[in-house]
Amino acid sequence: MHLRSIRARLTLWYTSLLTVTVLILGGTAYGLLGYSLARDMDRALQGVALTLAAQPYRGSSPPIPAEVEAIFRRFFGLSPWDRYVERRQPWSDRDPQESSPRAGGLPLSPNARHRAAEGLQTFETLEGLGPYPVRVLTQPVREAGRVTSLIQVGMSLESVAVTRGRFLLVMATVLPLALLCAGGGGWLLARRALRPVDRMTEAARRISAEHLHERLESTGSDDELDRLATTLNDMLGRLDAAFRQVRQFSADASHELQTPLTILKGELEVALRAPRSPDEYQRVLASALEENERIARLVEGLLLLSRADAGVLRMDRQPVDLAALVAEVGDYAQVLAEAQGVALEFKSVAPITIQGDREHLRRLLLNLVDNGIKYTPAGGRVTLTLQRDGGWVALRVADTGIGMGPEELERIFERFYRAPEAVEQGKEGSGLGLCIARSIAEAHDGRIHVESSPGQGSAFTVFLPLPA
Ligand code: ADP
């Protein structure tokens, strides 16, 4: 039995408590038994003494009258002859020695004699008269208002001792047996109650990173252990999702990096296969540089996201004039918009300054405007609005482009997610732009809100807190 196991400790506690309870109860019962036996005996002695006192005096040591014997039988179930001594002796105040009992009879203590002289009865327990102590009652007898004689009635305490002994014997035999049964029962009960914990431990041990989809057995009983299983299962669910995300992320990241690297390698190999003209080399090198920039952008984006995840995104906070920033991004994006045949507008651009990292905010805005232009067919329009909204600055990029359905909307902030339509239309992109935008907004204690409907267009609004 391992003392550190809950089962062993429960059983130990249970058995100890039971032992203490039984000992207290047994002790009380033993005390009460002794008290009531002594009281019964005193009453019986008194009954005998009073009956004898009512008899006329016929000299010393008369035989026990039949009615006295009957009383003895009733109370003790014994023949009184060998059990009690009865003596009636004449009373003399002047010479107490004269009235002392015969040799071998009951001794009369000075205290009992003294009390008898005052007409009071005395109960005493005397040792040394036999193998067991004797309970003695000294009862004065009055005649015509005067104490004329006294009666002594004695009874061996053997029956009391025997009854007490039997009680102790029963206790000593039954108690260990009861405790043994209770301890065994407690152990089995604790084992039964804790069996689900063992099963849970076993199951939890089995669930490694490779088996995070497994769950602990739940009984549905809504007890403490069932709630523990549910809580652990919820935790496993979150771990599973996190692990899957990490795996998906590394798979996607390697895939995204592999594509430009393969293109780069292919182009360089083809260029090296035969001598080329300077123009051709120029074209290959320009293309290689383009792929290189793509890879660099991707790596930079991944780095930013992992830093934001770890909460260590470097922020160079300073006052940023958002109107100026919007104008700058607008100018830059104008070239892209024109190439795409999309009109780009700025609206209600009022000077608003916030504390933030200018480079990160520029990137955020550029990602949104770039998406707006990219996912809007020629002839459409992208509108950039900057305004105050309560304690916030609202930076809105709205387009009249392809829009998105609710399913896509739910997933656009996932890493590497690209809506099927965007992929089908052959739009370039890695699926990281919106994640980066959101991470930057959150690093500024802000958030991004999206509205979109397929075929109608989308509107992304970035809310950033205004300085108090
Ligand atoms: P990508 O590099 O593919 O643009 P993003 O993270 O910027 O990656 O966007 C994720 C996906 O969200 C895009 O692939 C596209 O399907 C969708 N999306 C983003 N912006 C818009 C928009 N303005 N209009 C329609 N769809 C958009």
Side-chain angles (χ1 to χ4, degrees):
M1 183 157 94
H2 204 288
L3 268 186
R4 266 187 294 180
S5 81
I6 293 183
R7 194 186 311 163
R9 272 181 290 165
L10 269 181
T11 312
L12 208 67
W13 269 107
Y14 172 70
T15 317
S16 314
L17 274 177
L18 194 77
T19 311
V20 173
T21 314
V22 170
L23 282 180
I24 291 175
L25 277 180
T28 313
Y30 183 71
L32 280 177
L33 177 76
Y35 170 75
S36 77
L37 284 176
R39 204 186 47 183
D40 286 351
M41 172 160 283
D42 285 358
R43 277 196 191 147
L45 289 175
Q46 196 162 24
V48 173
L50 291 178
T51 313
L52 285 174
Q55 305 284 318
Y57 178 51
R58 287 175 305 225
S60 64
S61 300
I64 299 290
E67 58 269 37
V68 175
E69 194 181 337
I71 291 175
F72 262 73
R73 281 238 171 77
R74 213 179 103 219
F75 281 102
F76 304 109
L78 299 165
S79 166
W81 286 107
D82 54 342
R83 306 279 169 174
Y84 92 110
V85 182
E86 172 269 316
R87 172 158 302 119
R88 188 165 189 160
Q89 37 191 279
W91 180 259
S92 164
D93 277 337
R94 265 165 290 152
D95 185 5
Q97 290 309 316
E98 240 176 59
S99 56
S100 47
R102 293 168 306 174
L106 286 172
L108 183 62
S109 73
N111 178 40
R113 167 184 291 279
H114 182 71
R115 283 171 58 83
E118 288 171 12
L120 298 170
Q121 57 176 200
T122 308
F123 283 102
E124 289 164 306
T125 305
L126 305 177
E127 308 271 350
L129 296 174
Y132 292 95
V134 176
R135 187 74 173 158
V136 175
L137 167 62
T138 307
Q139 174 75 46
V141 182
R142 288 168 181 276
E143 272 168 40
R146 220 169 58 80
V147 177
T148 54
S149 63
L150 54 85
I151 289 172
Q152 275 192 296
V153 188
M155 174 80 196
S156 161
L157 287 175
E158 182 181 355
S159 64
V160 174
V162 167
T163 310
R164 283 178 154 194
R166 260 190 224 135
F167 182 88
L168 283 183
L169 190 72
V170 170
M171 284 284 284
T173 324
V174 171
L175 184 70
L177 271 179
L179 289 182
L180 210 68
C181 289
W187 172 261
L188 288 179
L189 270 181
R191 199 170 78 163
R192 202 184 142 89
L194 292 172
R195 196 171 296 151
V197 176
D198 285 344
R199 275 206 299 268
M200 244 187 257
T201 312
E202 192 50 45
R205 201 173 286 146
R206 234 183 15 243
I207 300 175
S208 60
E210 275 67 44
H211 299 97
L212 277 176
H213 57 277
E214 282 188 27
R215 293 289 174 272
L216 300 174
E217 202 181 306
S218 157
T219 56
S221 55
D222 199 33
D223 56 15
E224 290 84 345
L225 292 177
D226 193 51
R227 285 203 294 276
L228 177 64
T230 312
T231 311
L232 287 176
N233 280 341
D234 288 349
M235 194 186 76
L236 281 174
R238 288 196 296 275
L239 271 180
D240 192 18
F243 262 75
R244 236 182 288 170
Q245 218 175 356
V246 168
R247 266 193 224 119
Q248 186 67 37
F249 180 67
S250 15
D252 290 343
S254 3
H255 177 77
E256 287 298 320
L257 285 171
Q258 206 175 20
T259 312
L261 280 172
T262 312
I263 296 173
L264 188 60
K265 184 167 173 258
E267 281 181 345
L268 293 177
E269 274 174 357
V270 170
L272 284 176
R273 221 170 268 162
R276 310 276 167 184
S277 68
D279 278 358
E280 273 178 294
Y281 281 127
Q282 185 113 28
R283 190 189 57 73
V284 170
L285 283 178
S287 168
L289 192 63
E290 208 177 288
E291 292 306 324
N292 184 291
E293 274 168 5
R294 244 180 93 186
I295 295 169
R297 269 202 310 276
L298 202 65
V299 171
E300 199 191 333
L302 287 173
L303 208 63
L304 184 142
L305 284 176
S306 66
R307 283 198 178 133
D309 278 353
V312 293
L313 184 63
R314 227 178 56 108
M315 295 273 285
D316 184 11
R317 280 185 192 269
Q318 47 181 294
V320 181
D321 178 354
L322 287 180
L325 189 71
V326 166
E328 184 188 320
V329 171
D331 283 346
Y332 176 83
Q334 197 69 52
V335 187
L336 294 175
E338 271 168 25
Q340 179 90 7
V342 172
L344 184 64
E345 288 176 17
F346 314 166
K347 256 196 206 164
S348 52
V349 179
I352 299 173
T353 303
I354 64 157
Q355 283 289 323
D357 184 304
R358 194 170 199 285
E359 258 326 289
H360 286 329
L361 288 172
R362 186 176 178 289
R363 180 159 197 173
L364 186 170
L365 202 54
L366 201 56
N367 282 1
L368 296 183
V369 175
D370 186 42
N371 277 353
I373 296 169
K374 194 161 64 175
Y375 299 113
T376 302
R381 193 180 338 105
V382 174
T383 316
L384 239 168
T385 319
L386 172 69
Q387 61 189 38
R388 285 170 199 269
D389 186 344
W392 301 82
V393 185
L395 255 170
R396 186 176 146 96
V397 182
D399 63 57
T400 58
I402 57 173
M404 288 166 280
E407 275 174 39
E408 285 96 59
L409 264 183
E410 244 179 52
R411 302 192 55 193
I412 51 172
F413 289 103
E414 282 176 23
R415 281 160 200 200
F416 299 111
Y417 176 79
R418 306 197 66 211
E421 205 179 341
V423 181
E424 272 164 30
Q425 292 192 1
K427 303 285 181 192
E428 264 220 17
S430 62
L432 285 184
L434 286 180
C435 302
I436 292 173
R438 186 165 71 173
S439 291
I440 293 174
E442 284 172 357
H444 285 84
D445 303 319
R447 63 192 161 85
I448 300 184
H449 175 77
V450 198
E451 290 162 87
S452 186
S453 53
Q456 307 257 306
S458 317
F460 289 77
T461 314
V462 184
F463 290 96
L464 298 172
L466 270 173

